[in-house]
Amino acid sequence: MLPLEGIKVVDLTRVLSGPYCTMILADFGAEVIKVEMPKTGDDSRAYGPYVNGESAYYMSINRNKKSITVDTKNPEGIALVKQLIEKADVVVENFKPGTMEKLGMGYEDLKKINPELIYAACSGFGHTGPYSKRPAYDAVVQAMGGIMSITGPGEGQYTRVGASIGDITAGLFSAIGVMMALYHKEKTGKGQKVDVAMLDCQVAILENAIARYCVNGEIPQPRGNRHASITPFEDFTCKDGVKVMVAIGNNGLWKKFCTAAGHEELIEDERFVANPLRTKNYDQLKPIMDEIFLSKTSDEWYESLVAANVPVTYVNTVDKVVSNEQVLARDMIVEANHEGVGPFKMANTPIKMSETKGGYREAAPLLGENTDDILKNYLQLSDEEIEAVKAKGIL
Amino acid sequence: MLPLEGIKVVDLTRVLSGPYCTMILADFGAEVIKVEMPKTGDDSRAYGPYVNGESAYYMSINRNKKSITVDTKNPEGIALVKQLIEKADVVVENFKPGTMEKLGMGYEDLKKINPELIYAACSGFGHTGPYSKRPAYDAVVQAMGGIMSITGPGEGQYTRVGASIGDITAGLFSAIGVMMALYHKEKTGKGQKVDVAMLDCQVAILENAIARYCVNGEIPQPRGNRHASITPFEDFTCKDGVKVMVAIGNNGLWKKFCTAAGHEELIEDERFVANPLRTKNYDQLKPIMDEIFLSKTSDEWYESLVAANVPVTYVNTVDKVVSNEQVLARDMIVEANHEGVGPFKMANTPIKMSETKGGYREAAPLLGENTDDILKNYLQLSDEEIEAVKAKGIL
């Protein structure tokens, strides 16, 4: 039994943040009914790459879900979506705030037809505040929320994170919010609204950058691949020109590193005996470290530091990631095989549970693939009623 | 009432990934008892910046928790920790796999003393697979897991994300896992082990990079601030030399942008009518966009695009983030004020719930601040028993 078996989720989300949230719920057994516009569907069905005409982007993030097409620009379509929501435990949407209200499906409206409903809204800026009704995408919240200003090769060289961390962290926080609300409902019978803003999530993941600014008044800047408060914690070029990343997070590891490198003299060096000193004296330590790493090849360093239990790795490109022995041993890459689309690979869930093993079960649906099934089995409409709905031209 | 009120969490985590998970649990009402080594405590107490001798790094991530010092290098100390766990609903640890087993506190050991326990382990590589027992830090999993290889100013210029996304995403997935397990336990009475690896989480957030590689065989590379599949979706330099980020995620926004920019002719331009074409013909579109943005100042662009409902922002540094009107309106910056430490600011929870408002309630504990309280009220030891524990020299 999966933890969310029996939980019904009406999924009005598109593209990435909301769909990432409902993917997690689906991975752990929730029945996720994705409502898509007829003909076009989720915007991300138009994003590449494509496998036999289907978007691999879409398919990566919508596994284990069902798709029904309903025209929500039509009042009859909205009435049908409301019927779905009436029977649901959770509704998730990532429209611009105000959109659901305009459709007559704001939380206050839906609470009337389903008082115990959990309503999760994942938006760019949240349902309150002066920017609330503005549209947002990942790049905007990454830029506005500060992570770009601390990522990059050096001062002022602000760089977007190459994955859509603005969407994905909002999807993760939304999933946590839904789980908190489900747990609360299980204990009290009460539903509620969960309001997650992508911008807020960017602020929440800034780590120690806020503290650094507020304590020192110093505006954090990109520092290349270096950590702001931990040293040494970056990549170094080896004799063969290949870089390895090492992360020496405490004084025990510093001793192990110095020993493995054959530079025991550094252990006693007063400039470097503790992390705050190594960080403070970075400019003195950096050239020493650079020279040390140039003395051996990357393979030699990798092997000797792994043996010494010092955190180390090559900088892997995606081809290396999907074939990495640890990634494969953890069942992190799954191959979906949808009839008529063909096989393609995606990341599996990283939440490994001993009693309730979640993750990939079936491929993402084609547009409207489950429309009939949902009308019949979820809404329990008769054949005549289904024909009547179809005759309205809203599917 | 907060959703996790009454839930007892024994927190054996250090630094960032595990503490971030337990912070979320504490934010929503769980009683989180952080077990720290006497004298030194959590490694992150040695990470700057400092406020009156206390680490702001530590304080940012350990609010709402209680601290007890116990020497887990001493068998009597371990016995005391086991007493804590016996009464707990959840234990969270982020040791290197094998460490808890060596201490006699592996999941199999703890299940014997607390059969319904939820045991969450957040480690670098997980509790299975060939790298399992290796140490890891954020920089290592960012480099090994692929996100560095798609972040940076251009091809081959691999860049670490400036926030510790390796830790933080693992903390988020762990929190989801704990919530799934608590929900399952509420329904079935069964505990279980939740095993989250930082490396797995990096793979899970690669977004469409895996699909792009597996479908096209093309190894994704850093693309500066551009999105791989959506165009235009990047920053542009304006007349005053300041950059603005715009994100045009669908064809409706493309029309709005062209109109607001006074370049309606682009709407009908066949090279750019749909997103896949704009992405395919990027090299033709880019110089056109560059020229358009040079025609107005950043303030002019910001105002006109906000008015046109096109997603746009300045690239904010952290000082701008913490004073941003939307961030403040969302109550995302809180000021903690710990007696004897003084005020300092941190990010609040981004999960905004209508019935169960979580987030900052009290400042992080000083090392061992709640030792007596926990012995007396959580373990319910008598004064004599407390004296006996103290006499052992393990606190």
Side-chain angles (χ1 to χ4, degrees):
Chain A
M1 185 188 155
L2 287 172
L4 300 184
E5 246 173 72
I7 297 296
K8 294 168 186 164
V9 179
V10 172
D11 181 3
L12 304 176
T13 67
R14 294 99 1 92
V15 187
L16 185 52
S17 62
Y20 202 87
C21 167
T22 56
M23 175 176 74
I24 294 168
L25 303 177
D27 277 354
F28 286 89
E31 180 180 8
V32 175
I33 295 179
K34 188 168 171 103
V35 178
E36 300 188 71
M37 281 299 281
K39 289 179 191 150
T40 51
D42 186 330
D43 281 352
S44 73
R45 289 189 185 269
Y47 299 166
Y50 298 93
V51 183
N52 288 324
E54 290 295 318
S55 159
Y57 186 113
Y58 177 91
M59 289 196 294
S60 301
I61 307 171
N62 291 287
R63 64 177 177 233
N64 300 332
K65 301 179 191 175
K66 295 176 177 173
S67 167
I68 180 174
T69 49
V70 185
D71 181 359
T72 47
K73 295 195 171 149
N74 180 313
E76 300 261 28
I78 291 169
L80 185 65
V81 174
K82 281 185 166 178
Q83 278 183 274
L84 296 172
I85 293 172
E86 219 178 307
K87 291 182 166 235
D89 300 284
V90 180
V91 64
V92 187
E93 57 93 354
N94 66 343
F95 290 105
K96 214 167 62 177
T99 306
M100 286 291 279
E101 286 75 9
K102 259 187 235 161
L103 298 175
M105 295 197 291
Y107 176 54
E108 295 304 322
D109 304 308
L110 295 178
K111 209 162 60 166
K112 284 176 200 149
I113 60 170
N114 183 346
E116 292 182 13
L117 184 70
I118 292 165
Y119 178 109
C122 182
S123 60
F125 303 109
H127 279 229
T128 57
Y131 298 0
S132 176
K133 305 235 159 141
R134 291 192 194 174
Y137 277 90
D138 178 79
V140 168
V141 297
Q142 282 202 27
M144 193 181 283
I147 202 165
M148 262 187 74
S149 78
I150 57 171
T151 299
E155 195 152 329
Q157 298 170 285
Y158 307 142
T159 306
R160 178 177 176 266
V161 178
S164 293
I165 210 68
D167 284 287
I168 288 168
T169 53
L172 291 169
F173 279 112
S174 295
I176 295 171
V178 169
M179 288 308 305
M180 296 275 183
L182 278 170
Y183 193 71
H184 183 72
K185 183 184 163 187
E186 194 65 26
K187 295 209 163 176
T188 65
K190 281 187 190 162
Q192 61 178 312
K193 179 174 175 177
V194 181
D195 167 15
V196 171
M198 289 165 67
L199 178 63
D200 293 354
C201 295
Q202 290 305 290
V203 177
I205 66 164
L206 281 181
E207 201 206 343
N208 65 346
I210 291 176
R212 274 187 285 142
Y213 167 67
C214 293
V215 171
N216 301 331
E218 192 189 294
I219 298 169
Q221 287 289 328
R223 295 175 177 241
N225 297 337
R226 201 193 145 185
H227 194 280
S229 328
I230 313 178
T231 309
F233 204 90
E234 65 187 301
D235 54 341
F236 295 97
T237 303
C238 305
K239 199 182 190 173
D240 53 346
V242 175
K243 286 178 175 183
V244 294
M245 171 67 87
V246 295
I248 296 175
N250 62 44
N251 299 335
L253 287 174
W254 175 241
K255 286 178 198 159
K256 284 182 190 173
F257 168 77
C258 295
T259 307
H263 283 272
E264 288 86 348
E265 80 283 1
L266 288 173
I267 298 174
E268 302 299 323
D269 193 316
E270 288 191 354
R271 296 170 298 174
F272 311 131
V273 287
N275 179 63
L277 290 166
R278 289 191 294 275
T279 301
K280 191 181 153 210
N281 298 317
Y282 178 81
D283 292 341
Q284 293 174 59
L285 183 55
K286 181 68 164 58
I288 297 173
M289 293 291 286
D290 283 344
E291 203 187 318
I292 289 175
F293 273 92
L294 285 171
S295 69
K296 293 187 207 171
T297 66
S298 55
D299 286 348
E300 286 166 345
W301 276 116
Y302 183 77
E303 278 159 35
S304 69
L305 294 180
V306 164
N309 278 316
V310 173
V312 63
T313 184
Y314 301 99
V315 182
N316 286 336
T317 43
V318 173
D319 53 321
K320 299 286 197 305
V321 174
V322 299
S323 61
N324 177 277
E325 54 181 334
Q326 181 67 13
V327 170
L328 295 177
R330 295 284 288 175
D331 193 23
M332 276 308 296
I333 304 294
V334 287
E335 188 168 86
N337 198 342
H338 196 292
E339 210 184 322
V341 178
F344 84 108
K345 287 179 181 174
M346 66 177 101
N348 203 357
T349 181
I351 307 170
K352 309 295 185 189
M353 300 180 73
S354 63
E355 290 289 316
T356 56
K357 187 173 177 281
Y360 174 78
R361 293 186 308 282
E362 53 182 321
L366 301 179
L367 182 59
E369 180 173 342
N370 313 99
T371 299
D372 284 343
D373 168 38
I374 291 163
L375 295 176
K376 189 173 174 183
N377 297 310
Y378 178 95
L379 283 183
Q380 302 192 293
L381 300 187
S382 66
D383 290 350
E384 293 74 38
E385 288 169 320
I386 292 174
E387 285 314 308
V389 171
K390 287 187 173 171
K392 290 176 182 166
I394 56 171
L395 299 181
Chain B
M1 184 188 158
L2 287 172
L4 299 184
E5 244 173 76
I7 296 296
K8 295 168 185 164
V9 179
V10 172
D11 181 2
L12 304 176
T13 67
R14 294 100 2 91
V15 188
L16 185 52
S17 62
Y20 202 87
C21 167
T22 57
M23 175 176 74
I24 294 168
L25 304 176
D27 276 354
F28 286 89
E31 181 181 9
V32 175
I33 294 179
K34 187 167 172 105
V35 178
E36 300 190 70
M37 281 299 281
K39 288 179 191 150
T40 51
D42 186 328
D43 282 350
S44 73
R45 289 189 184 269
Y47 299 166
Y50 298 93
V51 184
N52 288 323
E54 290 294 318
S55 160
Y57 186 112
Y58 176 91
M59 290 196 294
S60 301
I61 307 172
N62 291 287
R63 63 177 177 234
N64 300 332
K65 302 179 190 175
K66 295 176 176 174
S67 168
I68 180 173
T69 49
V70 185
D71 181 0
T72 46
K73 294 196 171 147
N74 180 313
E76 300 261 28
I78 291 169
L80 185 66
V81 174
K82 281 186 167 177
Q83 278 182 273
L84 296 171
I85 293 172
E86 219 177 307
K87 291 181 165 236
D89 300 285
V90 180
V91 64
V92 187
E93 57 93 353
N94 66 342
F95 291 105
K96 214 166 64 176
T99 305
M100 286 291 279
E101 286 76 8
K102 260 187 232 160
L103 298 174
M105 294 198 291
Y107 177 54
E108 295 304 322
D109 304 309
L110 296 178
K111 208 162 59 167
K112 284 177 199 148
I113 61 171
N114 184 346
E116 292 182 13
L117 183 69
I118 292 164
Y119 178 109
C122 183
S123 60
F125 302 109
H127 279 230
T128 57
Y131 298 1
S132 176
K133 305 237 159 139
R134 291 191 192 174
Y137 277 90
D138 177 79
V140 168
V141 298
Q142 281 202 28
M144 193 182 281
I147 202 164
M148 264 187 73
S149 78
I150 57 171
T151 300
E155 194 152 330
Q157 297 171 284
Y158 306 143
T159 306
R160 177 177 176 266
V161 178
S164 293
I165 210 70
D167 284 287
I168 289 168
T169 53
L172 291 169
F173 279 112
S174 296
I176 295 171
V178 169
M179 288 309 305
M180 296 275 184
L182 278 170
Y183 193 71
H184 183 71
K185 183 183 164 187
E186 194 64 26
K187 294 209 163 177
T188 65
K190 281 187 190 163
Q192 61 177 313
K193 179 173 176 178
V194 180
D195 167 15
V196 171
M198 289 165 68
L199 177 63
D200 293 354
C201 294
Q202 291 305 291
V203 177
I205 66 164
L206 281 182
E207 202 207 339
N208 66 345
I210 291 177
R212 275 186 285 142
Y213 168 65
C214 294
V215 171
N216 301 330
E218 192 189 295
I219 297 170
Q221 288 288 328
R223 294 176 177 239
N225 297 339
R226 204 194 141 185
H227 193 280
S229 329
I230 313 178
T231 309
F233 204 89
E234 66 187 300
D235 54 342
F236 295 97
T237 303
C238 305
K239 199 180 187 176
D240 53 344
V242 174
K243 288 178 175 182
V244 294
M245 172 67 87
V246 295
I248 296 175
N250 62 45
N251 299 335
L253 288 173
W254 174 242
K255 287 177 198 160
K256 285 183 190 171
F257 168 77
C258 295
T259 306
H263 284 271
E264 288 85 350
E265 79 282 1
L266 288 173
I267 297 174
E268 303 299 322
D269 193 316
E270 288 192 354
R271 296 169 298 174
F272 311 132
V273 286
N275 179 62
L277 289 166
R278 289 191 294 275
T279 301
K280 190 180 154 212
N281 298 317
Y282 178 81
D283 291 342
Q284 294 174 59
L285 182 56
K286 180 69 165 59
I288 297 173
M289 293 290 287
D290 284 344
E291 203 188 315
I292 289 175
F293 274 91
L294 284 172
S295 69
K296 294 187 207 171
T297 67
S298 55
D299 286 349
E300 287 166 344
W301 277 116
Y302 183 77
E303 278 158 36
S304 68
L305 294 180
V306 165
N309 278 315
V310 173
V312 63
T313 183
Y314 300 99
V315 181
N316 285 336
T317 44
V318 173
D319 54 320
K320 299 287 197 305
V321 174
V322 299
S323 61
N324 177 278
E325 54 181 336
Q326 180 67 12
V327 170
L328 296 176
R330 295 283 290 173
D331 193 24
M332 276 308 297
I333 305 294
V334 288
E335 187 169 84
N337 198 343
H338 196 292
E339 210 183 322
V341 178
F344 84 108
K345 287 179 180 174
M346 66 176 101
N348 203 357
T349 182
I351 306 170
K352 309 296 185 189
M353 300 178 74
S354 62
E355 291 289 316
T356 57
K357 187 174 177 281
Y360 174 77
R361 292 187 307 281
E362 53 183 321
L366 301 179
L367 181 59
E369 180 173 340
N370 313 98
T371 299
D372 284 342
D373 168 39
I374 290 163
L375 296 176
K376 191 173 172 184
N377 296 310
Y378 178 94
L379 283 182
Q380 300 193 295
L381 301 187
S382 67
D383 289 349
E384 294 74 37
E385 288 170 320
I386 291 173
E387 286 313 309
V389 171
K390 286 187 173 171
K392 289 176 181 165
I394 56 170
L395 300 181

